[in-house]
Amino acid sequence: MMHRRSTNLGFATAGLLMFGLLGWLVSLVPVDDGAREWTESLNPGGWMAWTFPTALFFWVIAALLLAFTWLAIRFPETPRRGVLGIWTTRGDRLFISLLGSAFINLAWLGLGGAPAWGGLLASLIYAAAVFRWV
């Protein structure tokens, strides 16, 4: 019982740190005439043009890894066999979803160009299908 409580406390602390990090990232977004410039550099003059959408992408990946780690500890699962004929767990399906989504978004940008909302929507549908049937 004590092990579960300390594990949940650790993940709750990590979750609070993640939300604190998200708040910090939002605070770094430049403001021009009272409006946030979401696609401007978070570090003007820096060696890499980090924008909020780029930082948010990596934040979401870290949050997913944290959430899936907590799920694996709290609710262990046995692998299941899906339409691909391979045994997968939640983590495997997350990896397949992320990898496929990267290719979907690259294809969307290469064939259709901006805006990338269509690629994001296609990726979400693909991820839902992977988690349901793979």
Side-chain angles (χ1 to χ4, degrees):
M1 184 69 163
M2 187 61 150
H3 174 66
R4 178 178 285 174
R5 191 174 289 154
S6 65
T7 300
N8 286 338
L9 181 62
F11 278 103
T13 303
L16 287 174
L17 286 172
M18 287 296 291
F19 281 113
L21 177 64
L22 181 61
W24 176 68
L25 287 173
V26 169
S27 74
L28 291 177
V29 175
V31 178
D32 188 25
D33 291 331
R36 292 201 181 271
E37 301 290 334
W38 295 104
T39 57
E40 293 297 317
S41 177
L42 297 178
N43 183 21
W47 70 274
M48 187 172 172
W50 279 94
T51 63
F52 181 75
T54 304
L56 182 63
F57 170 79
F58 287 104
W59 184 90
V60 167
I61 298 295
L64 281 170
L65 290 173
L66 183 66
F68 273 69
T69 302
W70 178 79
L71 281 171
I73 292 170
R74 185 76 168 97
F75 306 104
E77 73 168 334
T78 56
R80 71 174 194 212
R81 192 176 193 147
V83 296
L84 295 179
I86 58 174
W87 295 92
T88 61
T89 63
R90 276 186 222 108
D92 298 329
R93 291 187 292 276
L94 175 65
F95 178 74
I96 292 168
S97 296
L98 291 174
L99 190 62
S101 295
F103 286 111
I104 288 169
N105 280 287
L106 285 172
W108 185 272
L109 289 174
L111 300 173
W117 293 110
L120 175 63
L121 180 62
S123 295
L124 291 173
I125 292 169
Y126 168 74
V130 166
F131 273 90
R132 174 68 179 102
W133 292 300
V134 172

